C-alpha cells in the first residue's frame, strides 16, 4: 500500500508540473506535427486503409489465439536454422541468458539496437553492473544514453529534445560545436559508432516479429544500426516478447508497411531484415552464434483474460501515443513506466503490480483517439475503462470513494434530497469534499442561488395564477 | 521438481488459452481479394524508379552493357573514395567490361568507398531492394561502405513484397533460408533529431540502382 502511494504520488507530482511546462509542450507539438503530416501523406498508398486495419487485426488475433502452437513451431524452425532458443519466464531469466553469452564470448563491449524489451528488463543497468559496456546504436537511444535518460517515446526516443538541446548535449559530452546541425550531429555519432560495431563481441537486438513458419526474427529500423550490430559481432542475441510471433512470413506483406505507415508515416522502413540463424557454412560473414530469448515477464497474465489478451496484438508502432491528448501534455517520462501512452496504461498494471500502476488508467479523458488510430484495432479506451473497473472492484479500491459515489447516486436519483439544503451548504460541501480533486488551477463553480427545478416550477406555474 | 523456464512458460500459455476469444468484429474478407493497397502502375520499372527517387535513392536504366559502362563510370566521377568492392563474379565481369577496377580484399573493407552488389529481387511497389547473406556479397557489403550500388536485371523486378517472399521460398526451400534477408528501402536515414531527415545514419548515404535489360549481352 505504501508503494502504491509512492508511485501514484510521484505521478501526481510530475504531471502537475509537466502538464504546464509550455516549453515541453512546444517541442512536442512541433515533433508531433511533423509526425502527423507524414502519416497523413502516407495514407495515399492505401486504397482502403480501414481494410488494412481489419486484416492486420485479424492476423494478430489469429497469431495470439494460437500463441502456444506458433511459439513451438518457431522454436523448432529456429533451431533448424542453427539458432539457440531460450525461454525466459521473467526478466531475471532473460538477463542471465544474455550474461551467459557475453561471458562465453569474453567481451566487455556490447552494441545494442533499439529494443523496448531490453528497456523493460533493464538490461543496460544489469550488464554495466557486471562490468560490460553497452552502447546504444540507434541515434535517438544514443542521445538518451548520453543524457542518462530512459527513452521518452517507444518509437522516437528523443522526441522531447529540440535540435538545440541535442547540440548542447553533444557539446557537453563529446565536445562538438555547440551550434551543430542535426546533420553534423548525426555524422559525428556515425563516425564514433563505426569503430564500436567492429570492437563489440556481442550484438543485441529486439524483434518486431517472429515467424513461426521459417523461424525468422524480423527487425525493422531506418538507420542500419541493427544491420551493423549483427554483421561484425561474434554473437547475435535477440530479446523478443512472446507475443511477437506471426503464423507466416507472408503476413509481413501487410504488417511491414502498416508498422511503417503508423510508426513514422513511411511506406516502408529503410531496413526490414529477417534473421534465420547465425552465419551458414556457405556464407561469407556474420555472427557464429545466434540466441533468441523468448520473454514472458507478465505477458501470459495479459493472455489469461480474453479482454486483456487484445493488448498482446500491439505491434508497438507508437500511433496511440502520438494521438493521445494526455501524452502530448504530460510527456512520456511522467508515466514512470517502460511503455507509456495509452498502450502503457493498459498493459503496465498487468505486467507489473496492478494496484501500483492502475492510477495510469485514471489519467485518461477516454476520448478514444487511441482506438481510432490503432492499426490492429485494439479497443484501447475500453481497456482503460476495464482497468478502472477492475480497480474499483478490487481489494485496493478506496473505501472513501466507494461511499462518495454511493451518496452521489442516492442524491441524484432522489431529487428532493438535493433541495433540502440551500446553495451555500452545497457550495461548502463541494468545496470540502470535491475541491481538492478539482485542482488548484481551476475554480470550482458555485451552485446557482436557485435550482433549475425551482426556476422551472415557477415558469410553468406562475405564482399569481 | 522445479519446472524449467521453458516448461513454466508453456504451462502458463496452455492455461491462459483455455478460454478462446472472439475474432475482431470488423473483418471484411469479401474485399480481401483486392487488398488494401493502391493498385500498382503497369510498368514495374517505372513504378520502382519513381519510388526510389522519392526515397532520395538514385535510379539508372541501361538497355545495353555499353550503356551501363558509361553510366557506372559517370556515377563514379562524383565520388571521393573510388575504391569499389565487389564479390560476385557476374557483377565483377560487368565492372571489368566497364573498365572499372574493383577490390575483393574484404579484410580491408574499411577502405571501401562503394560496395557493388547484386540482389535477390527489386520490389516495385515500395522501391525496395531485397538482398541476402546467401549471395557472395554477404552481410557487410550491403550496409558498411558509405555508398551502395546495386546492379540488377529487369527480370528481378516483382510487383510487391509477397512476390519477393514467393521468390525466396522457391529459391531456398524451407529451412534453408539465408541467415539474413534484408529489404532495403532507400539510403540509411534518421529523423531522431527534431524529425529532421538526415541520410546516412549508420548505413550507406547513397543507394544507386542500375537496372540492366535482361537481353543486354556482350553483342548488344
Amino acid at each position: 500500500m505504501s508503494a502504491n502511494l509512492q508511485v501514484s504520488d510521484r505521478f501526481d507530482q510530475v504531471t502537475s508540473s509537466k502538464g504546464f511546462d509550455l516549453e515541453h509542450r512546444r517541442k512536442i507539438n512541433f515533433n508531433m506535427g511533423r509526425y502527423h503530416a507524414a502519416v497523413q501523406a502516407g495514407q495515399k498508398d492505401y486504397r482502403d486503409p480501414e481494410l488494412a486495419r481489419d486484416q492486420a487485426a485479424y492476423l494478430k488475433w489469429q497469431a495470439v489465439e494460437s500463441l502456444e502452437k506458433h511459439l513451438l513451431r518457431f522454436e523448432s524452425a529456429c533451431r533448424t536454422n542453427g539458432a539457440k532458443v531460450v525461454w525466459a519466464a521473467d526478466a531475471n531469466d532473460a538477463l542471465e541468458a544474455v550474461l551467459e553469452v557475453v561471458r562465453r564470448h569474453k567481451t566487455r563491449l556490447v552494441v545494442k539496437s533499439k529494443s523496448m524489451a531490453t528497456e523493460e528488463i533493464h538490461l543496460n543497468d544489469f550488464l554495466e553492473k557486471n562490468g560490460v559496456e553497452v552502447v546504444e546504436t540507434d541515434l535517438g537511444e544514443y542521445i538518451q544514453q548520453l543524457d542518462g535518460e530512459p527513452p521518452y517515446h517507444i518509437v522516437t526516443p528523443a522526441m522531447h529534445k529540440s535540435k538545440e538541446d541535442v547540440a548542447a548535449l553533444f557539446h557537453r559530452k563529446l565536445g562538438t560545436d555547440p551550434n551543430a546541425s542535426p546533420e553534423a550531429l548525426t555524422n559525428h555519432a556515425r563516425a564514433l559508432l563505426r569503430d564500436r560495431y567492429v570492437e563489440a563481441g556481442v550484438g543485441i537486438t529486439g524483434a518486431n516479429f517472429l515467424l513461426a513458419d521459417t523461424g525468422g526474427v524480423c527487425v525493422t529500423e531506418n538507420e542500419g544500426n541493427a544491420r551493423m550490430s549483427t554483421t561484425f559481432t561474434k554473437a547475435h542475441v535477440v530479446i523478443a516478447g512472446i507475443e511477437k510471433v506471426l503464423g507466416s512470413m507472408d503476413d509481413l506483406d501487410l504488417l511491414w508497411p502498416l508498422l511503417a505507415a503508423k510508426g513514422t508515416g513511411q511506406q516502408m522502413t529503410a531496413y526490414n531484415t529477417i534473421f534465420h540463424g547465425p552465419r551458414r557454412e556457405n556464407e561469407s560473414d556474420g555472427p557464429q552464434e545466434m540466441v533468441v530469448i523468448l520473454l514472458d515477464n507478465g505477458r501470459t497474465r495479459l493472455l489469461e483474460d480474453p479482454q486483456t489478451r487484445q493488448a498482446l496484438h500491439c505491434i508497438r508502432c507508437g500511433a496511440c501515443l502520438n494521438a493521445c491528448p494526455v501524452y502530448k501534455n504530460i510527456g512520456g517520462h511522467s508515466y514512470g513506466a517502460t511503455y507509456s501512452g495509452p498502450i502503457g496504461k493498459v498493459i503496465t498494471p498487468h505486467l507489473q503490480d496492478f494496484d501500483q500502476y492502475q492510477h495510469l488508467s485514471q489519467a485518461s479523458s477516454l476520448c478514444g483517439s487511441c482506438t481510432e488510430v490503432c492499426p490492429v484495432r485494439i479497443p484501447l479506451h475500453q481497456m482503460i475503462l476495464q482497468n478502472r473497473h477492475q480497480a474499483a472492484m478490487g481489494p485496493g479500491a478506496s473505501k472513501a470513494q466507494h461511499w462518495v459515489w454511493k451518496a452521489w447516486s442516492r442524491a441524484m436519483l432522489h431529487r428532493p434530497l438535493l433541495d433540502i439544503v440551500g446553495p451555500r451548504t452545497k457550495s461548502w460541501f463541494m468545496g470540502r469534499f470535491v475541491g481538492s480533486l478539482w485542482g488548484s488551477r481551476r475554480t470550482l463553480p458555485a451552485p446557482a442561488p436557485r435550482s433549475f427545478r425551482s426556476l422551472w416550477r415557477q415558469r410553468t406555474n406562475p405564482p399569481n395564477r | 521438481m522445479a519446472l524449467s523456464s521453458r516448461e513454466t512458460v508453456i504451462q502458463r500459455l496452455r492455461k491462459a488459452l483455455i478460454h478462446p476469444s472472439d475474432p475482431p468484429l470488423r473483418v471484411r474478407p469479401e474485399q480481401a481479394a483486392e487488398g488494401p493497397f493502391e493498385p500498382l502502375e503497369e510498368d514495374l520499372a517505372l513504378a520502382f524508379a519513381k519510388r526510389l527517387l522519392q526515397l532520395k535513392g538514385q535510379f539508372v536504366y541501361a538497355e545495353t552493357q555499353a550503356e551501363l559502362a558509361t553510366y557506372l563510370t559517370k556515377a563514379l566521377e562524383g565520388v571521393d573514395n573510388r575504391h569499389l568492392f565487389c564479390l560476385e563474379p557476374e557483377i565483377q565481369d560487368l565492372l571489368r567490361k566497364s573498365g572499372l577496377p574493383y577490390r575483393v580484399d574484404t579484410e580491408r573493407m574499411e577502405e571501401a568507398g562503394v560496395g557493388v552488389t547484386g540482389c535477390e529481387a527489386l520490389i516495385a511497389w515500395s522501391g525496395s531492394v531485397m538482398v541476402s547473406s546467401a549471395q557472395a556479397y554477404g552481410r557487410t557489403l550491403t550496409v558498411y561502405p558509405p555508398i551502395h550500388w546495386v546492379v540488377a536485371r529487369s527480370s528481378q523486378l516483382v510487383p510487391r513484397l509477397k512476390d519477393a517472399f514467393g521468390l525466396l521460398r522457391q529459391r531456398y526451400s524451407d529451412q534453408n533460408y539465408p541467415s539474413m534477408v534484408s529489404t532495403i528501402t532507400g539510403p540509411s536515414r534518421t529523423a531522431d533529431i527534431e524529425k529532421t531527415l538526415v541520410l546516412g545514419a549508420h548505413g550507406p548515404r547513397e543507394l544507386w540502382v542500375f537496372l540492366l535489360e535482361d537481353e543486354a549481352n556482350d553483342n548488344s
Side-chain angles (χ1 to χ4, degrees):
Chain A
M1 202 61 200
S2 63
N4 176 3
L5 285 175
Q6 280 168 23
V7 177
S8 58
D9 284 353
R10 182 200 158 274
F11 180 77
D12 280 348
Q13 276 169 19
V14 175
T15 51
S16 49
S17 67
K18 204 54 149 187
F20 298 90
D21 177 347
L22 294 182
E23 184 57 16
H24 169 260
R25 199 179 298 180
R26 186 188 65 78
K27 288 172 192 166
I28 291 307
N29 283 344
F30 180 77
N31 285 332
M32 290 278 189
R34 291 196 153 191
Y35 163 85
H36 289 296
V39 169
Q40 188 61 40
Q43 286 291 302
K44 68 173 188 326
D45 297 327
Y46 291 81
R47 181 185 66 82
D48 186 347
E50 295 308 305
L51 178 64
R53 297 174 69 206
D54 287 344
Q55 291 183 336
Y58 194 79
L59 282 179
K60 283 297 292 191
W61 170 77
Q62 256 184 335
V64 170
E65 284 296 297
S66 334
L67 196 52
E68 183 204 346
K69 193 182 90 194
H70 282 339
L71 283 168
L72 293 175
R73 273 180 74 205
F74 169 79
E75 180 189 35
S76 141
C78 203
R79 287 193 173 141
T80 311
N81 291 337
K84 195 176 154 198
V85 178
V86 177
W87 297 69
D90 53 29
N92 207 42
D93 284 351
L95 294 170
E96 290 302 330
V98 177
L99 189 61
E100 189 272 326
V101 179
V102 171
R103 291 248 160 96
R104 198 149 34 76
H105 288 276
K106 299 188 172 56
T107 184
R108 298 214 153 264
L109 179 65
V110 163
V111 280
K112 198 178 123 215
S113 79
K114 180 170 168 35
S115 145
M116 291 312 291
T118 60
E119 291 295 327
E120 176 187 330
I121 61 172
H122 303 293
L123 179 67
N124 292 9
D125 283 350
F126 173 80
L127 287 177
E128 307 266 341
K129 274 190 197 114
N130 283 282
V132 180
E133 186 191 352
V134 186
V135 176
E136 292 287 352
T137 58
D138 170 82
L139 181 61
E141 292 285 356
Y142 181 74
I143 293 168
Q144 289 305 94
Q145 191 181 32
L146 269 186
D147 208 9
E149 270 190 334
Y152 176 90
H153 185 283
I154 63 173
V155 175
T156 322
M159 191 186 243
H160 60 310
K161 288 184 165 76
S162 66
K163 58 182 191 292
E164 291 79 14
D165 293 340
V166 180
L169 174 71
F170 272 47
H171 172 66
R172 209 163 63 239
K173 300 275 179 171
L174 305 171
T176 51
D177 172 5
N179 302 313
S181 65
E183 194 167 10
L185 296 166
T186 305
N187 283 335
H188 192 78
R190 175 190 169 106
L192 286 179
L193 287 169
R194 286 239 134 189
D195 298 335
R196 314 309 312 266
Y197 292 120
V198 184
E199 276 169 55
V202 174
I204 300 180
T205 70
N208 296 89
F209 304 103
L210 304 173
L211 309 177
D213 59 343
T214 71
V217 171
C218 308
V219 178
T220 294
E221 46 137 1
N222 266 313
E223 298 181 1
N225 59 308
R227 288 280 316 273
M228 294 283 275
S229 302
T230 53
T231 294
F232 306 104
T233 47
K234 281 179 277 184
H236 173 195
V237 177
V238 177
I239 302 179
I242 50 172
E243 81 282 16
K244 299 287 184 191
V245 71
L246 298 174
S248 161
M249 177 159 72
D250 296 322
D251 298 346
L252 300 171
D253 182 59
L254 173 65
L255 291 174
W256 270 352
L258 206 55
L259 177 60
K262 291 290 185 168
T264 54
Q266 290 170 279
Q267 187 192 24
M268 281 272 279
T269 315
Y271 297 94
N272 282 293
T273 306
I274 311 176
F275 295 99
H276 288 113
R279 168 187 187 173
R280 289 186 182 253
E281 257 176 48
N282 57 348
E283 294 181 350
S284 57
D285 54 8
Q288 46 187 265
E289 184 185 2
M290 180 175 175
V291 180
V292 181
I293 300 170
L294 298 174
L295 181 68
D296 177 353
N297 206 30
R299 286 166 175 76
T300 43
R301 277 202 295 280
L302 282 164
L303 192 68
E304 273 169 25
D305 180 343
Q307 291 299 313
T308 54
R309 188 179 298 168
Q310 301 175 86
L312 295 174
H313 301 170
C314 174
I315 58 172
R316 304 279 187 264
C317 68
C320 62
L321 281 64
N322 302 339
C324 180
V326 176
Y327 184 94
K328 276 183 235 182
N329 283 294
I330 68 172
H333 286 144
S334 301
Y335 293 77
T338 302
Y339 303 101
S340 54
I343 187 67
K345 288 178 187 176
V346 169
I347 63 175
T348 307
H350 301 278
L351 292 181
Q352 309 220 11
D353 178 83
F354 189 86
D355 286 338
Q356 253 193 66
Y357 286 93
Q358 62 83 15
H359 65 274
L360 294 176
S361 299
Q362 313 293 341
S364 168
S365 60
L366 297 176
C367 70
S369 297
C370 44
T371 305
E372 235 164 61
V373 297
C374 178
V376 292
R377 292 204 189 281
I378 302 172
L380 287 154
H381 72 290
Q382 286 170 26
M383 298 180 76
I384 289 170
L385 256 181
Q386 201 199 335
N387 277 353
R388 290 190 188 180
H389 178 77
Q390 187 176 334
M393 294 303 165
S398 140
K399 286 276 176 299
Q401 214 178 64
H402 175 78
W403 287 112
V404 166
W405 284 118
K406 197 110 183 163
W408 176 264
S409 73
R410 181 149 175 83
M412 294 311 279
L413 289 170
H414 297 82
R415 181 65 229 200
L417 279 179
L418 275 183
D419 290 339
I420 292 174
V421 296
R424 286 181 59 185
T425 317
K426 284 180 194 166
S427 191
W428 172 85
F429 181 87
M430 293 294 279
R432 173 79 179 72
F433 294 101
V434 187
S436 64
L437 299 173
W438 197 249
S440 60
R441 295 179 199 260
R442 299 190 283 191
T443 320
L444 196 64
R450 291 188 61 190
S451 71
F452 175 79
R453 185 174 138 101
S454 77
L455 287 171
W456 186 254
R457 190 175 291 150
Q458 184 184 12
R459 192 179 167 139
T460 46
N461 306 304
N464 60 346
R465 209 175 72 188
Chain B
M1 211 185 91
L3 291 178
S4 71
S5 292
R6 181 177 186 274
E7 286 161 336
T8 306
V9 178
I10 291 173
Q11 272 196 5
R12 287 179 188 166
L13 287 166
R14 215 162 273 172
K15 195 176 135 243
L17 286 166
I18 287 174
H19 304 290
S21 72
D22 298 327
L25 282 177
R26 298 192 20 144
V27 188
R28 290 184 288 163
E30 71 281 2
Q31 289 188 31
E34 241 185 302
F37 301 116
E38 275 297 332
L40 201 60
E41 266 185 68
E42 298 251 319
D43 187 327
L44 294 185
L46 191 63
F48 177 87
K50 279 187 183 168
R51 278 291 174 185
L52 186 60
L53 292 176
Q54 276 172 17
L55 295 159
K56 301 189 192 295
Q58 304 291 333
F59 179 84
V60 178
Y61 174 77
E63 228 169 307
T64 65
Q65 286 192 9
E67 258 183 58
L68 178 70
T70 320
Y71 294 138
L72 287 172
T73 312
K74 210 167 163 206
L76 197 60
E77 277 169 15
V79 178
D80 295 334
N81 176 356
R82 298 191 184 176
H83 290 275
L84 305 182
F85 273 66
C86 181
L87 301 169
E88 292 148 285
E90 197 203 343
I91 314 258
Q92 288 174 343
D93 193 44
L94 288 171
L95 289 178
R96 235 187 338 265
K97 284 177 184 153
S98 309
L100 296 175
Y102 56 83
R103 289 171 58 175
V104 294
D105 47 333
T106 46
E107 65 283 358
R108 306 288 294 276
M109 191 75 91
E110 69 276 9
E111 293 171 13
V114 185
V116 190
T117 75
C119 65
E120 294 280 355
L122 300 177
I123 300 156
W125 177 70
S126 54
S128 308
V129 181
M130 184 179 272
V131 297
S132 95
S133 56
Q135 305 297 333
Y137 49 77
R139 295 194 186 198
T140 315
L141 213 52
T142 56
V143 74
Y144 187 66
I147 298 175
H148 183 195
W149 287 1
V150 179
V151 182
R153 295 277 185 167
S154 51
S155 59
Q156 290 186 290
L157 273 164
V158 297
R160 292 178 189 278
L161 257 180
K162 61 178 180 208
D163 305 304
F165 292 140
L167 273 183
L168 279 182
R169 278 188 212 281
Q170 269 176 28
R171 210 164 285 163
Y172 310 96
S173 55
D174 267 346
Q175 308 315 331
N176 197 22
Y177 287 108
S179 72
M180 187 217 73
V181 176
S182 195
T183 307
I184 302 174
T185 309
S188 159
R189 59 193 57 219
T190 185
D192 273 348
I193 303 175
E194 256 191 16
K195 291 262 164 201
T196 306
L197 179 68
V198 179
L199 297 182
H202 294 283
R205 292 188 176 100
E206 291 181 28
L207 174 68
W208 293 64
V209 174
F210 297 89
L211 188 68
L212 180 61
E213 249 338 301
D214 283 287
E215 297 79 42
N217 52 39
D218 291 346
N219 309 322
S220 56

